[in-house]
Amino acid sequence: MKAAERSILVAIALAPSPAWAANAAAVPWWVWPLSLFAVTFLLGVVAASGILGYTS
């Protein structure tokens, strides 16, 4: 099995199942924008520290 085939199989195995989507209504709508903001903020902090040469 080639590495590309193996990575595709792993991606399919780790993909969220459709059953998770059915339970998404249990989460309030504001959780998703808030989590997106938090992730992009942390990504910006990491990017800025990489540009400035800081390490954690």
Short mmCIF file of all heavy atoms in Angstrom, two decimals:
data_model
loop_
_atom_site.label_atom_id
_atom_site.label_comp_id
_atom_site.label_asym_id
_atom_site.label_seq_id
_atom_site.Cartn_x
_atom_site.Cartn_y
_atom_site.Cartn_z
N MET A 1 0.85 -1.18 0.00
CA MET A 1 0.00 0.00 0.00
C MET A 1 0.89 1.24 0.00
O MET A 1 1.81 1.36 0.80
CB MET A 1 -0.89 -0.02 1.24
CG MET A 1 -1.82 1.17 1.32
SD MET A 1 -2.92 1.12 2.75
CE MET A 1 -4.03 -0.17 2.28
N LYS A 2 0.61 2.15 -0.88
CA LYS A 2 1.40 3.36 -0.98
C LYS A 2 1.04 4.31 0.16
O LYS A 2 0.01 4.20 0.79
CB LYS A 2 1.12 4.06 -2.31
CG LYS A 2 1.59 3.27 -3.50
CD LYS A 2 1.32 4.04 -4.77
CE LYS A 2 1.75 3.23 -5.98
NZ LYS A 2 1.48 3.94 -7.23
N ALA A 3 1.93 5.26 0.38
CA ALA A 3 1.73 6.21 1.47
C ALA A 3 0.50 7.07 1.23
O ALA A 3 -0.23 7.40 2.16
CB ALA A 3 2.97 7.08 1.64
N ALA A 4 0.26 7.44 -0.02
CA ALA A 4 -0.91 8.27 -0.33
C ALA A 4 -2.20 7.52 -0.05
O ALA A 4 -3.15 8.09 0.50
CB ALA A 4 -0.86 8.72 -1.78
N GLU A 5 -2.24 6.26 -0.41
CA GLU A 5 -3.44 5.45 -0.15
C GLU A 5 -3.65 5.29 1.35
O GLU A 5 -4.79 5.36 1.83
CB GLU A 5 -3.31 4.09 -0.81
CG GLU A 5 -3.31 4.14 -2.33
CD GLU A 5 -2.99 2.80 -2.94
OE1 GLU A 5 -2.60 1.86 -2.21
OE2 GLU A 5 -3.12 2.67 -4.17
N ARG A 6 -2.58 5.08 2.06
CA ARG A 6 -2.67 4.91 3.50
C ARG A 6 -3.18 6.19 4.16
O ARG A 6 -4.01 6.15 5.06
CB ARG A 6 -1.31 4.52 4.07
CG ARG A 6 -1.36 4.07 5.50
CD ARG A 6 -0.04 3.52 5.98
NE ARG A 6 0.61 2.73 4.96
CZ ARG A 6 1.91 2.77 4.68
NH1 ARG A 6 2.69 3.56 5.35
NH2 ARG A 6 2.43 2.03 3.73
N SER A 7 -2.69 7.35 3.70
CA SER A 7 -3.12 8.60 4.30
C SER A 7 -4.59 8.88 4.01
O SER A 7 -5.30 9.44 4.84
CB SER A 7 -2.25 9.76 3.83
OG SER A 7 -2.39 9.94 2.44
N ILE A 8 -5.06 8.48 2.83
CA ILE A 8 -6.48 8.65 2.51
C ILE A 8 -7.33 7.76 3.42
O ILE A 8 -8.36 8.20 3.93
CB ILE A 8 -6.75 8.35 1.02
CG1 ILE A 8 -6.12 9.43 0.15
CG2 ILE A 8 -8.24 8.23 0.74
CD1 ILE A 8 -6.15 9.14 -1.33
N LEU A 9 -6.90 6.55 3.64
CA LEU A 9 -7.65 5.65 4.52
C LEU A 9 -7.67 6.17 5.95
O LEU A 9 -8.69 6.10 6.64
CB LEU A 9 -7.05 4.25 4.48
CG LEU A 9 -7.29 3.47 3.18
CD1 LEU A 9 -6.57 2.13 3.23
CD2 LEU A 9 -8.77 3.27 2.94
N VAL A 10 -6.57 6.72 6.41
CA VAL A 10 -6.52 7.28 7.76
C VAL A 10 -7.44 8.50 7.85
O VAL A 10 -8.16 8.67 8.83
CB VAL A 10 -5.07 7.65 8.14
CG1 VAL A 10 -5.03 8.47 9.41
CG2 VAL A 10 -4.24 6.39 8.30
N ALA A 11 -7.45 9.34 6.82
CA ALA A 11 -8.32 10.52 6.83
C ALA A 11 -9.79 10.11 6.86
O ALA A 11 -10.60 10.73 7.55
CB ALA A 11 -8.03 11.39 5.62
N ILE A 12 -10.14 9.09 6.13
CA ILE A 12 -11.53 8.62 6.13
C ILE A 12 -11.89 8.03 7.49
O ILE A 12 -12.98 8.27 8.01
CB ILE A 12 -11.75 7.59 5.00
CG1 ILE A 12 -11.67 8.29 3.64
CG2 ILE A 12 -13.09 6.88 5.17
CD1 ILE A 12 -11.69 7.35 2.47
N ALA A 13 -10.96 7.30 8.08
CA ALA A 13 -11.23 6.68 9.37
C ALA A 13 -11.38 7.72 10.48
O ALA A 13 -12.17 7.54 11.41
CB ALA A 13 -10.12 5.70 9.72
N LEU A 14 -10.64 8.82 10.38
CA LEU A 14 -10.68 9.84 11.42
C LEU A 14 -11.70 10.94 11.15
O LEU A 14 -11.88 11.82 11.98
CB LEU A 14 -9.29 10.45 11.59
CG LEU A 14 -8.21 9.51 12.09
CD1 LEU A 14 -6.88 10.22 12.17
CD2 LEU A 14 -8.58 8.91 13.43
N ALA A 15 -12.35 10.90 10.01
CA ALA A 15 -13.34 11.92 9.68
C ALA A 15 -14.54 11.80 10.62
O ALA A 15 -14.92 10.70 11.01
CB ALA A 15 -13.79 11.78 8.23
N PRO A 16 -15.12 12.91 11.01
CA PRO A 16 -16.29 12.83 11.89
C PRO A 16 -17.45 12.12 11.20
O PRO A 16 -17.67 12.28 10.01
CB PRO A 16 -16.65 14.28 12.18
CG PRO A 16 -15.81 15.11 11.30
CD PRO A 16 -14.74 14.26 10.71
N SER A 17 -18.15 11.36 11.97
CA SER A 17 -19.25 10.60 11.40
C SER A 17 -20.48 11.49 11.22
O SER A 17 -20.61 12.51 11.89
CB SER A 17 -19.60 9.42 12.32
OG SER A 17 -20.12 9.91 13.53
N PRO A 18 -21.39 11.13 10.35
CA PRO A 18 -22.62 11.92 10.17
C PRO A 18 -23.47 11.98 11.43
O PRO A 18 -24.25 12.90 11.59
CB PRO A 18 -23.36 11.18 9.07
CG PRO A 18 -22.31 10.43 8.33
CD PRO A 18 -21.26 10.08 9.35
N ALA A 19 -23.30 11.05 12.34
CA ALA A 19 -24.07 11.09 13.58
C ALA A 19 -23.69 12.29 14.43
O ALA A 19 -24.51 12.81 15.19
CB ALA A 19 -23.85 9.80 14.37
N TRP A 20 -22.46 12.77 14.32
CA TRP A 20 -22.06 13.96 15.08
C TRP A 20 -22.83 15.18 14.60
O TRP A 20 -23.17 16.04 15.38
CB TRP A 20 -20.58 14.21 14.92
CG TRP A 20 -19.71 13.24 15.62
CD1 TRP A 20 -20.09 12.12 16.30
CD2 TRP A 20 -18.29 13.29 15.72
NE1 TRP A 20 -19.00 11.48 16.79
CE2 TRP A 20 -17.89 12.16 16.45
CE3 TRP A 20 -17.34 14.17 15.24
CZ2 TRP A 20 -16.55 11.92 16.73
CZ3 TRP A 20 -16.02 13.92 15.52
CH2 TRP A 20 -15.62 12.80 16.26
N ALA A 21 -23.10 15.26 13.32
CA ALA A 21 -23.81 16.41 12.77
C ALA A 21 -25.25 16.47 13.29
O ALA A 21 -25.80 17.55 13.44
CB ALA A 21 -23.80 16.35 11.25
N ALA A 22 -25.82 15.35 13.58
CA ALA A 22 -27.19 15.34 14.08
C ALA A 22 -27.26 15.92 15.49
O ALA A 22 -28.29 16.44 15.90
CB ALA A 22 -27.73 13.91 14.07
N ASN A 23 -26.17 15.86 16.24
CA ASN A 23 -26.15 16.35 17.60
C ASN A 23 -25.68 17.80 17.67
O ASN A 23 -25.57 18.36 18.75
CB ASN A 23 -25.25 15.47 18.46
CG ASN A 23 -25.51 15.64 19.94
OD1 ASN A 23 -26.50 16.24 20.33
ND2 ASN A 23 -24.63 15.13 20.76
N ALA A 24 -25.40 18.44 16.56
CA ALA A 24 -24.88 19.80 16.55
C ALA A 24 -25.90 20.81 17.05
O ALA A 24 -25.53 21.89 17.51
CB ALA A 24 -24.42 20.17 15.15
N ALA A 25 -27.18 20.51 16.98
CA ALA A 25 -28.20 21.44 17.44
C ALA A 25 -28.19 21.59 18.96
O ALA A 25 -28.72 22.55 19.49
CB ALA A 25 -29.57 20.97 16.97
N ALA A 26 -27.57 20.67 19.67
CA ALA A 26 -27.50 20.75 21.13
C ALA A 26 -26.54 21.84 21.58
O ALA A 26 -26.61 22.28 22.72
CB ALA A 26 -27.07 19.40 21.69
N VAL A 27 -25.66 22.29 20.71
CA VAL A 27 -24.70 23.34 21.06
C VAL A 27 -25.30 24.68 20.65
O VAL A 27 -25.81 24.83 19.54
CB VAL A 27 -23.37 23.10 20.31
CG1 VAL A 27 -22.36 24.18 20.62
CG2 VAL A 27 -22.82 21.73 20.65
N PRO A 28 -25.23 25.67 21.55
CA PRO A 28 -25.75 27.00 21.18
C PRO A 28 -25.02 27.57 19.96
O PRO A 28 -23.85 27.27 19.73
CB PRO A 28 -25.48 27.85 22.42
CG PRO A 28 -25.30 26.89 23.53
CD PRO A 28 -24.77 25.64 22.92
N TRP A 29 -25.70 28.42 19.21
CA TRP A 29 -25.15 28.93 17.96
C TRP A 29 -23.89 29.76 18.18
O TRP A 29 -23.01 29.80 17.34
CB TRP A 29 -26.20 29.77 17.23
CG TRP A 29 -26.52 31.05 17.94
CD1 TRP A 29 -27.53 31.24 18.84
CD2 TRP A 29 -25.84 32.30 17.83
NE1 TRP A 29 -27.52 32.52 19.31
CE2 TRP A 29 -26.49 33.20 18.69
CE3 TRP A 29 -24.76 32.74 17.09
CZ2 TRP A 29 -26.08 34.52 18.84
CZ3 TRP A 29 -24.36 34.06 17.23
CH2 TRP A 29 -25.02 34.93 18.10
N TRP A 30 -23.77 30.42 19.33
CA TRP A 30 -22.66 31.34 19.55
C TRP A 30 -21.36 30.62 19.90
O TRP A 30 -20.30 31.25 19.94
CB TRP A 30 -23.00 32.34 20.65
CG TRP A 30 -23.53 31.71 21.90
CD1 TRP A 30 -24.83 31.51 22.22
CD2 TRP A 30 -22.76 31.18 22.98
NE1 TRP A 30 -24.93 30.89 23.43
CE2 TRP A 30 -23.67 30.67 23.93
CE3 TRP A 30 -21.40 31.07 23.24
CZ2 TRP A 30 -23.26 30.08 25.11
CZ3 TRP A 30 -20.98 30.49 24.42
CH2 TRP A 30 -21.91 29.98 25.34
N VAL A 31 -21.41 29.33 20.14
CA VAL A 31 -20.18 28.59 20.46
C VAL A 31 -19.27 28.52 19.24
O VAL A 31 -18.05 28.66 19.36
CB VAL A 31 -20.53 27.17 20.96
CG1 VAL A 31 -19.28 26.31 21.09
CG2 VAL A 31 -21.26 27.26 22.29
N TRP A 32 -19.83 28.35 18.05
CA TRP A 32 -19.01 28.19 16.85
C TRP A 32 -18.28 29.47 16.48
O TRP A 32 -17.07 29.43 16.22
CB TRP A 32 -19.87 27.68 15.70
CG TRP A 32 -20.54 26.40 16.07
CD1 TRP A 32 -21.88 26.20 16.23
CD2 TRP A 32 -19.91 25.15 16.39
NE1 TRP A 32 -22.11 24.91 16.62
CE2 TRP A 32 -20.94 24.24 16.72
CE3 TRP A 32 -18.59 24.73 16.43
CZ2 TRP A 32 -20.67 22.93 17.09
CZ3 TRP A 32 -18.33 23.42 16.79
CH2 TRP A 32 -19.35 22.54 17.11
N PRO A 33 -18.93 30.65 16.45
CA PRO A 33 -18.16 31.87 16.17
C PRO A 33 -17.12 32.17 17.24
O PRO A 33 -16.02 32.64 16.94
CB PRO A 33 -19.22 32.98 16.12
CG PRO A 33 -20.50 32.30 15.90
CD PRO A 33 -20.37 30.94 16.47
N LEU A 34 -17.46 31.88 18.51
CA LEU A 34 -16.51 32.13 19.59
C LEU A 34 -15.30 31.22 19.47
O LEU A 34 -14.15 31.66 19.65
CB LEU A 34 -17.20 31.93 20.94
CG LEU A 34 -16.38 32.27 22.17
CD1 LEU A 34 -16.05 33.76 22.17
CD2 LEU A 34 -17.14 31.90 23.42
N SER A 35 -15.51 29.96 19.14
CA SER A 35 -14.38 29.04 18.98
C SER A 35 -13.55 29.40 17.75
O SER A 35 -12.32 29.30 17.79
CB SER A 35 -14.87 27.59 18.89
OG SER A 35 -15.69 27.42 17.77
N LEU A 36 -14.20 29.85 16.68
CA LEU A 36 -13.45 30.29 15.50
C LEU A 36 -12.59 31.50 15.83
O LEU A 36 -11.43 31.59 15.43
CB LEU A 36 -14.42 30.61 14.37
CG LEU A 36 -13.80 31.09 13.07
CD1 LEU A 36 -12.90 30.01 12.47
CD2 LEU A 36 -14.87 31.48 12.08
N PHE A 37 -13.14 32.45 16.59
CA PHE A 37 -12.37 33.62 17.01
C PHE A 37 -11.18 33.20 17.86
O PHE A 37 -10.07 33.70 17.67
CB PHE A 37 -13.26 34.58 17.80
CG PHE A 37 -12.50 35.74 18.38
CD1 PHE A 37 -12.10 36.78 17.58
CD2 PHE A 37 -12.20 35.76 19.73
CE1 PHE A 37 -11.38 37.84 18.11
CE2 PHE A 37 -11.49 36.81 20.27
CZ PHE A 37 -11.08 37.86 19.46
N ALA A 38 -11.39 32.29 18.81
CA ALA A 38 -10.30 31.86 19.69
C ALA A 38 -9.19 31.17 18.90
O ALA A 38 -8.00 31.44 19.13
CB ALA A 38 -10.85 30.92 20.77
N VAL A 39 -9.56 30.31 17.97
CA VAL A 39 -8.55 29.60 17.19
C VAL A 39 -7.77 30.55 16.30
O VAL A 39 -6.54 30.48 16.23
CB VAL A 39 -9.21 28.48 16.35
CG1 VAL A 39 -8.25 27.91 15.33
CG2 VAL A 39 -9.73 27.38 17.26
N THR A 40 -8.46 31.48 15.65
CA THR A 40 -7.75 32.42 14.78
C THR A 40 -6.90 33.39 15.59
O THR A 40 -5.82 33.81 15.15
CB THR A 40 -8.71 33.19 13.88
OG1 THR A 40 -9.72 33.81 14.67
CG2 THR A 40 -9.36 32.26 12.87
N PHE A 41 -7.35 33.76 16.79
CA PHE A 41 -6.54 34.61 17.65
C PHE A 41 -5.25 33.91 18.05
O PHE A 41 -4.16 34.49 17.97
CB PHE A 41 -7.34 35.02 18.90
CG PHE A 41 -6.57 35.91 19.82
CD1 PHE A 41 -6.47 37.26 19.55
CD2 PHE A 41 -5.96 35.40 20.96
CE1 PHE A 41 -5.77 38.10 20.40
CE2 PHE A 41 -5.26 36.22 21.81
CZ PHE A 41 -5.16 37.58 21.53
N LEU A 42 -5.36 32.65 18.46
CA LEU A 42 -4.17 31.90 18.84
C LEU A 42 -3.24 31.68 17.64
O LEU A 42 -2.01 31.73 17.78
CB LEU A 42 -4.55 30.56 19.46
CG LEU A 42 -5.24 30.66 20.82
CD1 LEU A 42 -5.69 29.29 21.28
CD2 LEU A 42 -4.32 31.30 21.84
N LEU A 43 -3.82 31.46 16.47
CA LEU A 43 -3.02 31.33 15.27
C LEU A 43 -2.27 32.62 14.97
O LEU A 43 -1.10 32.59 14.57
CB LEU A 43 -3.91 30.94 14.09
CG LEU A 43 -3.23 30.64 12.77
CD1 LEU A 43 -2.29 29.45 12.91
CD2 LEU A 43 -4.25 30.37 11.70
N GLY A 44 -2.92 33.75 15.18
CA GLY A 44 -2.26 35.04 14.99
C GLY A 44 -1.14 35.27 15.98
O GLY A 44 -0.09 35.81 15.63
N VAL A 45 -1.33 34.84 17.22
CA VAL A 45 -0.27 34.97 18.23
C VAL A 45 0.93 34.12 17.84
O VAL A 45 2.08 34.56 17.93
CB VAL A 45 -0.80 34.57 19.62
CG1 VAL A 45 0.32 34.43 20.62
CG2 VAL A 45 -1.83 35.58 20.10
N VAL A 46 0.68 32.91 17.38
CA VAL A 46 1.77 32.03 16.97
C VAL A 46 2.49 32.61 15.75
O VAL A 46 3.72 32.61 15.68
CB VAL A 46 1.24 30.61 16.67
CG1 VAL A 46 2.30 29.75 16.00
CG2 VAL A 46 0.75 29.96 17.95
N ALA A 47 1.73 33.15 14.80
CA ALA A 47 2.34 33.72 13.60
C ALA A 47 3.17 34.95 13.95
O ALA A 47 4.28 35.13 13.44
CB ALA A 47 1.26 34.08 12.59
N ALA A 48 2.65 35.81 14.81
CA ALA A 48 3.38 37.01 15.19
C ALA A 48 4.65 36.66 15.96
O ALA A 48 5.70 37.28 15.76
CB ALA A 48 2.50 37.92 16.02
N SER A 49 4.56 35.67 16.82
CA SER A 49 5.77 35.28 17.56
C SER A 49 6.79 34.64 16.64
O SER A 49 8.00 34.78 16.86
CB SER A 49 5.41 34.33 18.70
OG SER A 49 4.93 33.11 18.20
N GLY A 50 6.33 33.99 15.59
CA GLY A 50 7.27 33.43 14.62
C GLY A 50 7.95 34.51 13.81
O GLY A 50 9.15 34.41 13.50
N ILE A 51 7.22 35.55 13.48
CA ILE A 51 7.80 36.66 12.72
C ILE A 51 8.81 37.39 13.57
O ILE A 51 9.89 37.79 13.11
CB ILE A 51 6.69 37.61 12.22
CG1 ILE A 51 5.88 36.92 11.15
CG2 ILE A 51 7.28 38.92 11.71
CD1 ILE A 51 4.64 37.69 10.73
N LEU A 52 8.50 37.61 14.84
CA LEU A 52 9.37 38.37 15.73
C LEU A 52 10.53 37.55 16.27
O LEU A 52 11.44 38.09 16.86
CB LEU A 52 8.55 38.96 16.88
CG LEU A 52 7.48 39.95 16.46
CD1 LEU A 52 6.66 40.37 17.66
CD2 LEU A 52 8.10 41.16 15.78
N GLY A 53 10.46 36.23 16.11
CA GLY A 53 11.54 35.37 16.54
C GLY A 53 11.45 34.89 17.97
O GLY A 53 12.41 34.39 18.54
N TYR A 54 10.28 35.03 18.58
CA TYR A 54 10.11 34.54 19.95
C TYR A 54 9.84 33.05 19.93
O TYR A 54 9.26 32.51 19.00
CB TYR A 54 8.94 35.23 20.63
CG TYR A 54 9.13 36.71 20.84
CD1 TYR A 54 8.14 37.61 20.48
CD2 TYR A 54 10.30 37.21 21.40
CE1 TYR A 54 8.30 38.95 20.67
CE2 TYR A 54 10.46 38.56 21.59
CZ TYR A 54 9.47 39.42 21.22
OH TYR A 54 9.64 40.76 21.42
N THR A 55 10.25 32.40 20.98
CA THR A 55 9.91 30.99 21.15
C THR A 55 9.25 30.82 22.50
O THR A 55 9.54 31.57 23.44
CB THR A 55 11.16 30.09 21.08
OG1 THR A 55 12.09 30.51 22.07
CG2 THR A 55 11.78 30.16 19.71
N SER A 56 8.39 29.84 22.60
CA SER A 56 7.69 29.65 23.87
C SER A 56 8.29 28.54 24.70
O SER A 56 9.17 27.85 24.39
CB SER A 56 6.23 29.34 23.64
OG SER A 56 6.08 28.26 22.77
#
